Amino acid sequence: MPSPQDRQRPFFVVLNRRSGSGDGGATEEAIRDALDATGHPYRLFCAKHPRHLGELAEQAVEAARAQGGAVVVAGGDGTINAVVQAVLPSGLPLGVLPQGTFNFFGRCHGLPEGDAGEGIRGLLDARETPVQVGLVNDRVFLVNASLGLYPELLERRERDKRRFGRHRLVALLSGLRALLGSYPDLRLSLCEDGQRQVRRSTTLVVGDNRLQLESIGIPEADAVTRGALVGIVLPPLARWHMILTAIRGLSGHLGDVEKVDSFAFTELEVALPRRRELKLAIDGEIVRLPLPLRFRVAPQALRLLVPRDRGDR
């Protein structure tokens, strides 16, 4: 059972007003109403733009450390990633109120989606569970980190959404346009757990979320519950084969595609000849990192707060 001190430890809540398709103002109001009703101490840090998340997360961490509190984040996978980047080195507990579109992190750990008031009330009597976090160089990832075609697809999708609106049909058509275009042809130098090989690839995805890996049919999905990460290499394919592969992934059968290579590992180094940096998609956000890339599991686990009537799924 949580101690009286745990029940009254203040919450320092980082809220992304732009996560998902919900109303950020309504989310803020629901959080305030729930905590005001119980008299629980808290402070809100509201980001009006995603670029402010890192700074606000650092402020929340400092305040929580000074007052013996916990950090809480309300937003989608990208928002959660930005806050974990600040929380993980601090060793502070983290509560999560999933408010995004896909919410792979929240769903994987049985966290209630959508209703921020219900979610914050559940954290008042929460238990801690250790959660594995992936690292690429010094950047955390909770769902996946990818390079090659997938970051290009995400950038195109965001441009199309800004132009035509944030609708699923826009995202679908944008992805189809990307698959009908040209593909990166990367000559990757991979050092997997000490064994080096050179592979041609259009996309490399490294996953740390069992639910997402299972949803696309990757047989090594359970490895992320045993201290490993999972790599997926997609080689250069003909256009029709690439579209078919995408369809197989959406239907949960990517692991059955003959030329798709998936493997579990503990450390992976990625280099590219004559390249100093590379574009990556990390939990749905585009970043550039210096080469070589080093993928590994973070040495410390995230102290995730989970409502007591729920557990890992």
Side-chain angles (χ1 to χ4, degrees):
M1 293 292 291
S3 68
Q5 291 83 359
D6 285 345
R7 288 195 184 97
Q8 284 301 307
R9 61 185 170 193
F11 287 163
F12 297 88
V13 185
V14 182
L15 168 65
N16 182 4
R17 289 177 173 269
R18 294 190 176 188
S19 283
S21 57
D23 182 343
T27 300
E28 178 182 349
E29 184 178 359
I31 293 171
R32 289 188 183 278
D33 288 348
L35 293 176
D36 288 342
T38 63
H40 194 87
Y42 72 95
R43 180 180 169 189
L44 277 175
F45 299 79
C46 296
K48 296 181 179 179
H49 193 281
R51 66 172 174 267
H52 301 144
L53 281 169
E55 179 182 354
L56 291 179
E58 292 287 353
Q59 293 175 15
V61 164
E62 288 305 312
R65 184 187 283 119
Q67 299 184 42
V71 178
V72 178
V73 54
D77 289 328
T79 300
I80 298 167
N81 177 290
V83 175
V84 170
Q85 184 75 31
V87 170
L88 187 67
S90 75
L92 290 170
L94 177 73
V96 173
L97 308 176
Q99 302 290 305
T101 303
F102 298 106
N103 294 327
F104 278 112
F105 181 80
R107 288 161 53 203
C108 193
H109 298 288
L111 304 179
E113 297 180 59
D115 188 334
E118 176 191 352
I120 200 77
R121 284 190 293 270
L123 294 178
L124 296 175
D125 186 30
R127 62 179 176 85
E128 285 188 20
T129 186
V131 171
Q132 173 176 296
V133 175
L135 290 178
V136 51
N137 294 359
D138 61 347
R139 292 293 300 265
V140 306
F141 63 97
L142 303 168
V143 181
N144 65 56
S146 61
L147 55 98
L149 177 61
Y150 189 59
E152 300 294 337
L153 187 152
L154 283 182
E155 279 197 321
R156 179 188 291 272
R157 187 180 71 184
E158 288 306 307
R159 287 196 301 267
D160 289 343
K161 283 184 174 181
R162 287 193 295 269
R163 182 178 179 184
F164 301 111
R166 303 187 71 84
H167 305 292
R168 288 186 180 274
L169 181 59
V170 172
L172 180 62
L173 293 176
S174 178
L176 182 60
R177 287 178 57 201
L179 291 176
L180 292 174
S182 59
Y183 307 144
D185 187 355
L186 305 175
R187 188 174 177 84
L188 303 177
S189 176
L190 305 180
C191 185
E192 175 194 346
D193 297 337
Q195 301 297 315
R196 185 170 296 278
Q197 58 179 309
V198 176
R199 301 281 297 275
R200 288 183 62 204
S201 174
T202 58
T203 299
L204 169 67
V205 178
V206 176
D208 188 33
N209 184 276
R210 173 182 53 80
L211 181 63
Q212 188 189 53
L213 292 167
E214 287 178 346
S215 73
I216 60 175
I218 300 301
E220 296 86 359
D222 278 346
V224 301
T225 67
R226 301 191 299 270
L229 300 170
V230 175
I232 307 168
V233 176
L234 186 63
L237 298 171
R239 186 168 285 106
W240 68 269
H241 199 168
M242 184 70 77
I243 295 173
L244 179 60
T245 299
I247 294 172
R248 296 295 298 275
L250 291 172
S251 62
H253 298 284
L254 184 63
D256 297 335
V257 178
E258 181 180 354
K259 293 189 177 182
V260 172
D261 181 23
S262 58
F263 53 94
F265 67 89
T266 55
E267 293 187 7
L268 179 69
E269 180 179 292
V270 180
L272 276 168
R274 298 181 297 279
R275 297 282 290 274
R276 294 184 177 181
E277 67 172 21
L278 197 63
K279 183 191 303 179
L280 285 85
I282 298 181
D283 291 347
E285 305 296 326
I286 303 298
V287 302
R288 288 185 176 274
L289 294 181
L291 290 167
L293 303 174
R294 294 184 174 89
F295 293 91
R296 60 190 175 96
V297 174
Q300 69 271 54
L302 178 67
R303 295 171 58 193
L304 182 66
L305 297 175
V306 179
R308 287 185 176 272
D309 60 345
R310 296 173 183 264
D312 290 354
R313 293 180 179 177

